[in-house]
């Protein structure tokens, strides 16, 4: 198996996603994340980092 290529990129768009935190007995998320919309009024610099 060939190694995966890692190519970091600069963020350009901000997207809003919706999801929940339901997990099964194995610790896997039970529901997929849904795309909601692009956030045109935001830039990558205005979004706080994840804690």
């Amino acid at each position: 198996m060939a190694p995966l290529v890692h190519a970091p990129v600069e963020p350009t768009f901000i997207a809003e996603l919706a999801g929940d935190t339901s997990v099964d007995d194995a610790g896997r998320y039970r529901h997929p994340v849904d795309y909601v919309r692009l956030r045109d009024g935001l830039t990558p610099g205005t979004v706080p980092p994840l804690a």
Side-chain angles (χ1 to χ4, degrees):
M1 178 185 262
L4 295 175
V5 177
H6 176 238
V9 298
E10 289 293 324
T12 305
F13 300 106
I14 303 297
E16 184 175 342
L17 306 173
D20 63 41
T21 57
S22 292
V23 293
D24 63 14
D25 293 337
R28 297 175 298 219
Y29 288 105
R30 295 178 52 198
H31 305 108
V33 174
D34 293 318
Y35 167 81
V36 177
R37 64 185 168 146
L38 280 178
R39 298 295 304 264
D40 295 333
L42 298 175
T43 64
T46 61
V47 178
L50 295 174

